Amino acid sequence: MPELAEVEFYRRQWDVGLDAKVLQIALHPRKRIFRGTNTRSLVRHLTGTKLLRSTARGKQMLFEFSGENWLGLHLGMTGKLRVEPPAFRAAKHDHLVLRQARRSLVFTDSRQFGRVRFHHGALHPEWWPAELPQIGERTFTRSYFDRFLDRHRRAPIKAVLLLQSGFPGIGNWMADEILWRAKVAPARQTAVLSNAERAALLREVRFVARESIRTIGAEFSDPPRTWLIHQRWKRGGLCPRDKRKLRRATIGGRTTAWCTRCQR
Ligand SMILES: [Zn+2]
């Protein structure tokens, strides 16, 4: 499932189409991916507009077009954005194609847990979480982080890190990476974490977000070899620090990998 950095990678794919006009739109209006969206209105409004800019918040993306038009994309589990030649023929899972003179901007999603939304209006759509502090922004402070943890005192910290209302874009592998780096066991209750452990967690939340955007987000290259991600799903995966066998269990509803010696 795409997390922060993967979303950033896909968002940038359409950058080549910035400042160019959308000449024609092809879509599959009956597909689940357009649930709740008026596709006729989307086609009518977006045709002839220019792609102005895009932004990502957590796992959501917003593309702004001229004439006060907004396209929201969520990748779900299998969504991808890519660029094809202008005369490219859409395949079965290419549910939305924006044709420009020199290229086609394609959104594809085989399993359709993703979503396409459209909004026409001067202000950004109401479903866009513009106020939600993003990791790496100045509003994502220690006191914001503490308040969020305090609201979920009984939950295991792994489950809290997966909450999109507090940690937009953090998914399963990033949460495991953060906990491993901060040396905190995933099943620990938020309430019992020490001040030093909270500080370490916040530091690693920022670090993992920044570094994964720098590597995966920029060109889908791998994070450094020393990261847990490379061992997580391997059979007999080892802790990169002390080479002990990783432990696995379901925590917060997700398969979790951790080192029982490094993480307390
Ligand atoms: Zn270890």
Side-chain angles (χ1 to χ4, degrees):
M1 193 177 290
E3 303 183 20
L4 193 71
E6 290 94 339
V7 171
E8 184 59 14
F9 172 80
Y10 286 119
R11 181 188 68 79
R12 293 177 186 185
Q13 299 308 299
W14 283 11
D15 278 357
V16 287
L18 287 170
D19 296 318
K21 253 188 189 172
V22 176
L23 303 175
Q24 196 208 355
I25 296 170
L27 50 75
H28 300 149
R30 296 190 184 287
K31 292 293 180 182
R32 190 158 65 102
I33 200 145
F34 290 105
R35 59 195 177 276
T37 293
N38 184 338
T39 51
R40 278 191 202 168
S41 164
L42 184 159
V43 171
R44 194 177 68 239
H45 281 109
L46 275 191
T47 306
T49 64
K50 268 185 187 174
L51 177 56
L52 299 179
R53 64 187 70 86
S54 67
T55 169
R57 297 194 87 72
K59 297 182 182 180
Q60 300 192 66
M61 291 174 277
L62 187 65
F63 294 82
E64 189 183 348
F65 294 80
S66 59
E68 304 179 341
N69 293 298
W70 313 76
L71 185 71
L73 296 180
H74 193 291
L75 298 174
M77 287 180 74
T78 51
K80 291 181 170 72
L81 276 74
R82 68 180 201 278
V83 175
E84 295 283 354
F88 146 89
R89 267 185 72 180
K92 188 177 163 197
H93 300 303
D94 299 330
H95 301 305
L96 177 66
V97 180
L98 308 181
R99 293 194 196 282
Q100 297 181 324
R102 302 177 70 168
R103 67 194 70 81
S104 297
L105 308 176
V106 183
F107 178 55
T108 187
D109 186 359
S110 55
R111 296 188 63 188
Q112 293 189 66
F113 289 104
R115 196 164 178 192
V116 179
R117 293 202 267 196
F118 175 71
H119 172 71
H120 176 68
L123 298 175
H124 61 73
E126 48 149 44
W127 39 259
W128 182 247
E131 309 306 321
L132 195 64
Q134 303 291 295
I135 301 161
E137 286 181 355
R138 280 199 326 186
T139 44
F140 196 91
T141 60
R142 173 67 195 262
S143 66
Y144 173 80
F145 172 84
D146 280 337
R147 281 199 306 278
F148 190 80
L149 262 54
D150 290 342
R151 286 210 295 279
H152 304 279
R153 296 181 63 79
R154 286 164 176 269
I157 183 63
K158 166 76 188 258
V160 177
L161 286 174
L162 291 173
L163 293 171
Q164 295 303 295
S165 54
F167 300 97
I170 300 288
N172 203 25
W173 81 257
M174 289 180 80
D176 281 3
E177 192 76 49
I178 289 161
L179 289 162
W180 175 72
R181 300 187 65 93
K183 303 186 177 178
V184 172
R188 293 269 301 285
Q189 260 193 8
T190 303
V192 302
L193 297 175
S194 70
N195 192 41
E197 285 168 332
R198 281 182 173 224
L201 278 168
L202 177 57
R203 186 181 68 235
E204 300 306 340
V205 163
R206 288 173 170 150
F207 176 84
V208 170
R210 187 177 66 237
E211 283 300 298
S212 60
I213 284 176
R214 195 180 62 78
T215 53
I216 302 168
E219 47 199 12
F220 231 92
S221 57
D222 283 340
R225 297 306 310 167
T226 51
W227 282 31
L228 183 72
I229 187 175
H230 305 292
Q231 297 290 328
R232 260 185 102 233
W233 304 120
K234 257 192 205 168
R235 222 200 228 281
L238 303 176
C239 169
R241 226 180 259 126
D242 58 19
K243 309 296 175 208
R244 272 173 77 99
K245 202 161 169 263
L246 294 172
R247 177 103 187 265
R248 285 196 182 82
T250 301
I251 299 171
R254 305 293 300 277
T255 303
T256 300
W258 76 100
C259 174
T260 51
R261 186 193 274 167
C262 293
Q263 293 172 253
R264 301 281 168 165

